[in-house]
């Protein structure tokens, strides 16, 4: 299994407790909404996405990695709360621009990895970008924290 990168909304303490215990069934049951970025990515690729998203946001978008507050950092999993400023800025992006944003993201990743064939975004990548924007809008609307987790 590869690296799983996800954004979640749900009850933060319950999600943290479930991930801490590696109880993925409970984690799934406590997740209200999710954007799944398990696309053969490296964590730095999410920073690239954030950098590309900045041109679509109507608010200043701070660097993604600087906006993560770590609550769990194990060898095989991690749990972070994303600062509201980043979530608020991502929520200003027009959902209709999600495919265009995904294309820009893949173009930039192709530049970042010149020895790899990145190609065009897959349907899963386009869906993940769209779902992340929707998730940020949901988190803002309902004043819920956005959680970012990774699992190896």
């Amino acid at each position: 299994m590869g690296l799983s990168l996800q954004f979640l909304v749900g009850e933060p303490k319950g999600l943290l407790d479930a991930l801490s215990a590696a109880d993925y069934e409970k984690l799934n049951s406590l997740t209200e909404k999710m954007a799944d970025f398990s696309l053969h990515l490296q964590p730095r690729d999410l920073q690239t996405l954030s950098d590309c998203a900045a041109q679509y946001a109507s608010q200043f978008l701070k660097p993604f990695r600087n906006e993560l507050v770590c609550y769990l950092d194990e060898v095989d999993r991690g749990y972070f709360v994303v600062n509201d400023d980043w979530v608020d800025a991502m929520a200003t992006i027009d959902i209709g621009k999600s495919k265009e944003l995904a294309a820009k993201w893949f173009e930039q990743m192709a530049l970042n990895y010149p020895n790899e064939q990145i190609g065009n975004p897959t349907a899963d990548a386009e869906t993940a970008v769209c779902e992340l924007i929707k998730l940020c809008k949901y988190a803002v609307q309902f004043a819920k924290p956005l959680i970012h987790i990774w699992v190896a």
Side-chain angles (χ1 to χ4, degrees):
M1 182 173 128
L3 187 63
S4 175
L5 300 168
Q6 298 174 340
F7 290 90
L8 314 170
V9 170
E11 195 280 307
K13 174 125 176 45
L15 292 170
L16 176 58
D17 290 347
L19 187 62
S20 294
D23 186 344
Y24 301 110
E25 189 173 303
K26 184 174 182 180
L27 182 77
N28 289 336
S29 73
L30 294 172
T31 299
E32 291 175 32
K33 293 190 178 289
M34 175 182 62
D36 190 356
F37 279 80
S38 303
L39 307 165
H40 304 288
L41 299 174
Q42 296 181 38
R44 71 179 183 168
D45 297 330
L46 294 177
Q47 178 61 54
T48 302
L49 172 60
S50 180
D51 294 343
C52 292
Q55 66 184 300
Y56 296 92
S58 63
Q59 295 179 14
F60 177 70
L61 191 60
K62 296 179 180 178
F64 175 69
R65 292 183 63 92
N66 295 346
E67 294 300 299
L68 297 175
V69 179
C70 182
Y71 286 85
L72 177 70
D73 189 15
E74 298 290 335
V75 173
D76 61 346
R77 61 196 180 278
Y79 178 105
F80 304 84
V81 174
V82 183
N83 281 335
D84 289 342
D85 289 345
W86 191 88
V87 178
D88 292 346
M90 285 294 291
T92 68
I93 297 174
D94 179 356
I95 299 260
K97 297 287 187 181
S98 64
K99 283 187 179 184
E100 185 179 323
L101 171 54
K104 293 279 185 197
W105 179 35
F106 271 60
E107 286 173 19
Q108 187 58 52
M109 284 196 298
L111 295 173
N112 292 351
Y113 304 106
N115 297 326
E116 295 183 31
Q117 287 190 323
I118 300 296
N120 294 321
T122 62
D124 287 342
E126 291 174 346
T127 298
V129 170
C130 184
E131 291 303 312
L132 177 58
I133 296 167
K134 288 179 182 177
L135 194 58
C136 289
K137 290 178 184 296
Y138 178 84
V140 169
Q141 181 180 358
F142 294 100
K144 296 191 175 230
L146 181 66
I147 309 300
H148 172 55
I149 66 168
W150 68 270
V151 178

